[in-house]
Amino acid sequence: DYSTPRTFNSACEWLDSNKDADDYFLMVEAFDPHEPFDCPKEFVDMYDDDYDGPHYDWPAYNTVKEPDEAVKHVRNKYMGTLTMADKWFGKMLDTLEKNDLFEETLIILTSDHGQLLGEHGYMGKNFMHSYNELAHIPMIVHLPGNERKDERINALTQNIDIMPTLL
């Protein structure tokens, strides 16, 4: 019932149904990890979460005012949500491999922004200085045929450039 597993499951079903297509374009927007940091308990338990305070999965966009145990808990919720997304992204990659599509598929993994969870004394995003944790987003590209494998380019990227580049 969580949106990220449902989204990736739908992508896997689409790949299974379209594996014989000559050309296709599939864009998967998983949204997670994003507030609220909501995932099955099994994922949060991976991070030794022992928080017993009030429900807390959406940090206020402000300076840190929460006690240390609450900050630790929301970080665990974030990591659990990220781990859940990673698991389901892996299932999509497995589906590409199962259908012999991985080597011929361009895959771009990126994000729109980061999230402060106590770093620099802040919680949230977009009202404070653009710290690296917020603005230095990853972009991982898998080219068909593993071309340029293991190459690392040290440059800033912006997700606004993806669509014009693909077109």
Side-chain angles (χ1 to χ4, degrees), residues 48-129:
D48 299 322
D49 191 68
D50 58 1
Y51 180 72
D52 65 354
H55 181 80
Y56 183 50
D57 63 5
W58 195 312
Y61 288 21
N62 209 328
T63 55
V64 176
K65 296 181 175 145
E66 295 78 7
D68 290 344
E69 59 272 6
V71 172
K72 180 181 179 216
H73 171 66
V74 82
R75 285 180 178 167
N76 289 340
K77 295 282 285 185
Y78 173 87
M79 291 186 298
T81 304
L82 178 61
T83 301
M84 177 185 68
D86 184 56
K87 173 185 177 178
W88 284 92
F89 176 66
K91 288 181 180 289
M92 188 183 74
L93 295 178
D94 291 344
T95 301
L96 284 167
E97 287 184 349
K98 174 187 80 172
N99 290 319
D100 293 325
L101 298 171
F102 187 79
E103 289 303 321
E104 64 184 43
T105 301
L106 169 66
I107 302 168
I108 301 172
L109 175 67
T110 191
S111 180
D112 55 348
H113 58 76
Q115 179 85 24
L116 293 179
L117 296 171
E119 299 86 357
H120 308 287
Y122 291 107
M123 299 293 261
K125 59 183 183 268
N126 71 13
F127 78 92
M128 69 288 284
H129 173 77

Side-chain angles (χ1 to χ4, degrees), residues 127-138:
F127 78 92
M128 69 288 284
H129 173 77
S130 290
Y131 292 102
N132 275 339
E133 293 88 345
L134 297 173
H136 195 167
I137 60 173

Side-chain angles (χ1 to χ4, degrees), residues 110-112 135 137-139 155-165:
T110 191
S111 180
D112 55 348
I137 60 173
M139 177 180 276
L156 293 176
T157 63
Q158 297 181 57
N159 53 18
I160 195 169
D161 297 324
I162 294 173
M163 187 55 71
T165 301

